[in-house]
Amino acid sequence: MTSSRPLRADAARNRKLLLAAAAEEFDVRGLDVSVADIARRAGVGKGTVFRHFATKDDLIAAIVLDRIAALTETGEELLDAPDAGAALLEFLSAVAREMQHFDLVYLQRAAELDPELSRAQERLFGHVHVLVERARSYGAVRADVTGADVVALMCAPKHAASSLPDAPPDLWQRYLAIIFDGLRPAGAHPLPQPPPASP
């Protein structure tokens, strides 16, 4: 894994370039893309890649951790929003947009690579639970929906849209709207099963 010491400005810039370039390559060509291709897209040499990331797997884990950190920051900023229902929808929209850059294999592989990912997910999920509790207390979310339910639904817009051939890139918005309507109390019917254990 990379060092926790602060990076020099040029090293920090190269690391940011590498994360962005690797994410683009993985998005377009999958996880089998070569380190040489990532370095070429970033405009650096292969040696620079390996100075920051000992292996390609370290690079994959770093990308996922970076994006989870950004979502956690978004969630934290929304914890005190005056409209709790709108805050939850804004957060879920941010997650769905970010998920357009991931596939399930990507996330599963990253989870196997770095124990810090589990801790990062716990922080993120903690914010989800608070956002849901606030939205529920404001009457914006039905009383029988839990944070664990919403965590389980976070990837659903991406999976629903990606299962369709030639789906337009913004189709996830349709499925997020359907999900959010299902969270609202108006017209809700009792849920048939208890909620899952909290992730």
Side-chain angles (χ1 to χ4, degrees), residues 2 46 48 56 58 93 105 109 136 139 160 177 179 183 189 199:
T2 56
K46 282 176 62 176
T48 300
K56 189 171 71 172
D58 289 343
S93 297
V105 173
R109 181 162 172 184
R136 202 170 49 219
I179 289 167
L183 296 175
H189 294 87

Side-chain angles (χ1 to χ4, degrees), residues 12-87:
R13 184 179 62 251
N14 283 341
R15 186 179 190 279
K16 187 175 180 179
L17 284 171
L18 284 168
L19 288 174
E24 290 169 6
E25 286 289 328
F26 293 146
D27 289 348
V28 173
R29 301 170 59 190
L31 295 179
D32 292 332
V33 67
S34 72
V35 170
D37 289 332
I38 292 168
R40 191 176 306 112
R41 184 182 282 265
V44 300
K46 282 176 62 176
T48 300
V49 179
F50 290 118
R51 276 195 295 276
H52 287 275
F53 306 102
T55 68
K56 189 171 71 172
D57 283 346
D58 289 343
L59 182 52
I60 292 169
I63 291 168
V64 175
L65 281 167
D66 194 53
R67 289 180 166 171
I68 288 178
L71 288 172
T72 301
E73 184 177 336
T74 298
E76 190 168 349
E77 290 169 355
L78 291 167
L79 291 179
D80 296 320
D83 186 331

Side-chain angles (χ1 to χ4, degrees), residues 7-193:
L7 296 173
R8 296 190 324 266
D10 59 335
R13 184 179 62 251
N14 283 341
R15 186 179 190 279
K16 187 175 180 179
L17 284 171
L18 284 168
L19 288 174
E24 290 169 6
E25 286 289 328
F26 293 146
D27 289 348
V28 173
R29 301 170 59 190
L31 295 179
D32 292 332
V33 67
S34 72
V35 170
D37 289 332
I38 292 168
R40 191 176 306 112
R41 184 182 282 265
V44 300
K46 282 176 62 176
T48 300
V49 179
F50 290 118
R51 276 195 295 276
H52 287 275
F53 306 102
T55 68
K56 189 171 71 172
D57 283 346
D58 289 343
L59 182 52
I60 292 169
I63 291 168
V64 175
L65 281 167
D66 194 53
R67 289 180 166 171
I68 288 178
L71 288 172
T72 301
E73 184 177 336
T74 298
E76 190 168 349
E77 290 169 355
L78 291 167
L79 291 179
D80 296 320
D83 186 331
L88 180 59
L89 179 57
E90 183 176 341
F91 175 77
L92 291 176
S93 297
V95 172
R97 277 193 298 273
E98 198 60 58
M99 284 301 300
Q100 302 316 299
H101 303 290
F102 290 134
D103 62 29
L104 190 57
V105 173
Y106 199 156
L107 289 172
Q108 286 174 334
R109 181 162 172 184
E112 295 165 359
L113 299 175
D114 192 338
E116 175 58 25
L117 187 62
S118 293
R119 293 187 287 272
Q121 285 180 325
E122 286 175 13
R123 290 190 291 271
L124 177 64
F125 295 165
H127 290 338
V128 175
H129 283 267
V130 175
L131 288 167
V132 172
E133 287 169 13
R134 288 191 73 237
R136 202 170 49 219
S137 69
Y138 277 72
V141 167
R142 52 191 293 168
D144 54 355
V145 165
T146 68
D149 290 318
V150 174
V151 167
L153 289 169
M154 281 170 34
C155 298
K158 155 78 174 182
H159 293 309
S162 63
S163 68
L164 301 172
D166 302 318
D170 292 333
L171 186 62
W172 62 267
Q173 295 175 352
R174 175 181 178 86
Y175 298 109
L176 179 60
I178 292 171
I179 289 167
F180 210 77
D181 274 354
L183 296 175
R184 291 189 173 101
H189 294 87
L191 295 171
Q193 296 290 330

